[in-house]
Amino acid sequence: MKAHTYLTQSSLTPATALELLREGNTRFVSNLRINRNLLQQVNQTAEGQWPFAAIVSCMDSRTSAELIFDQGLGDIFSIRLAGAVISENVLGSLEYACKVAGSKIIVVMGHTGCGAIKGACDHVEMGNLTGLLGKIRPAVFQEKTIKENRTSSNHEFVEAVTNIHTERSVQAILEQSVIIADMIDRGELGIIGAMYDVETGVVTFHEHTCRVGQALETLNAQA
């Protein structure tokens, strides 16, 4: 299995790039991962890289995007930090990944049992973590369906907040990056939210957050 080249990357559309990730997660869950010669891929990518996707995910040790989507060296940009929060640094990284390096799809991926989400639910304050959790807390306040036990001990509440936070993160990228929004409008790039289940290994894509070319106009018309 060779690393992506300029030609293979440029031949992909946002939709086909997303399909590669879906297929990769299916292989991961089925324990049918592609047998890659990683040293060969080191050599193949020594002069450059052509990743087809950019994944924003949590720093949780169980959520390595390369493993979850069964990808090799040079296939994806992996941006990882607690809670997969969106910041100026993340936006800059995504703009580089897509506008400069040619990635076709952005995935913002939350996960079940997220410690950062739990901390935000419990209003934890601790050093620099306080500011990070503050970026998640709006999702806690936005969740209105669960009235009792709105803490980390309530699995249902934590997952509901995680889904809201992921959706808010997708929207934040669209609103705060003119470069990314413009690329999506022109059909050059797609973006979608997702949830990874740490118990099963399955990634569930939030189809209603998908923005891929004309899908953006369709979703805006339906809003």
Side-chain angles (χ1 to χ4, degrees):
M1 188 68 180
K2 296 183 178 180
H4 274 281
T5 66
Y6 171 77
L7 290 177
T8 60
Q9 182 205 58
S10 60
S11 68
L12 295 173
T13 66
T16 55
L18 179 56
E19 188 59 27
L20 288 180
L21 295 176
R22 294 184 195 273
E23 293 172 355
N25 182 244
T26 297
R27 291 194 302 271
F28 173 69
V29 173
S30 303
N31 202 26
L32 295 173
R33 296 183 299 277
I34 292 174
N35 183 22
R36 293 178 172 86
N37 185 330
L38 295 180
L39 183 58
Q40 181 185 57
Q41 290 190 329
V42 168
N43 295 329
Q44 291 170 346
T45 57
E47 300 299 323
Q49 58 172 339
W50 295 271
F52 71 90
I55 315 295
V56 181
S57 61
C58 185
M59 63 176 282
D60 189 292
S61 63
R62 301 164 293 180
T63 62
S64 171
E66 290 86 351
L67 296 178
I68 290 170
F69 293 109
D70 188 29
Q71 300 301 316
L73 292 174
D75 289 341
I76 63 172
F77 283 110
S78 182
I79 304 169
R80 301 182 65 186
L81 68 168
V85 299
I86 304 303
S87 67
E88 182 179 356
N89 293 334
V90 172
L91 291 170
S93 297
L94 289 173
E95 289 172 354
Y96 173 82
C98 302
K99 187 67 175 181
V100 178
S103 293
K104 305 296 185 180
I105 188 74
I106 294 172
V107 178
V108 180
M109 187 173 70
H111 69 93
T112 59
C114 179
I117 300 292
K118 290 180 178 180
C121 290
D122 291 341
H123 305 284
V124 169
E125 295 186 359
M126 185 183 73
N128 291 304
L129 185 60
T130 302
L132 186 147
L133 297 182
K135 295 180 180 296
I136 301 174
R137 199 154 292 129
V140 177
F141 298 134
Q142 186 175 332
E143 206 300 304
K144 303 294 186 182
T145 64
I146 298 173
K147 306 299 183 182
E148 299 181 356
N149 191 16
R150 293 171 58 88
T151 70
S152 65
S153 64
N154 186 341
H155 173 79
E156 182 182 359
F157 180 61
V158 171
E159 302 316 306
V161 172
T162 303
N163 283 322
I164 291 173
H165 174 61
T166 300
E167 293 171 8
R168 289 177 59 91
S169 295
V170 170
Q171 191 60 35
I173 292 170
L174 293 170
E175 293 175 354
Q176 296 175 33
S177 174
V178 174
I179 290 174
I180 290 173
D182 185 57
M183 291 183 71
I184 291 173
D185 281 345
R186 295 201 305 268
E188 300 170 354
L189 176 67
I191 187 171
I192 193 170
M195 174 75 90
Y196 174 68
D197 191 322
V198 299
E199 294 183 4
T200 66
V202 173
V203 174
T204 301
F205 289 95
H206 294 176
E207 303 295 344
H208 61 284
T209 67
C210 185
R211 306 288 193 276
V212 180
Q214 295 300 315
L216 177 61
E217 297 180 6
T218 301
L219 288 170
N220 285 341
Q222 295 174 348

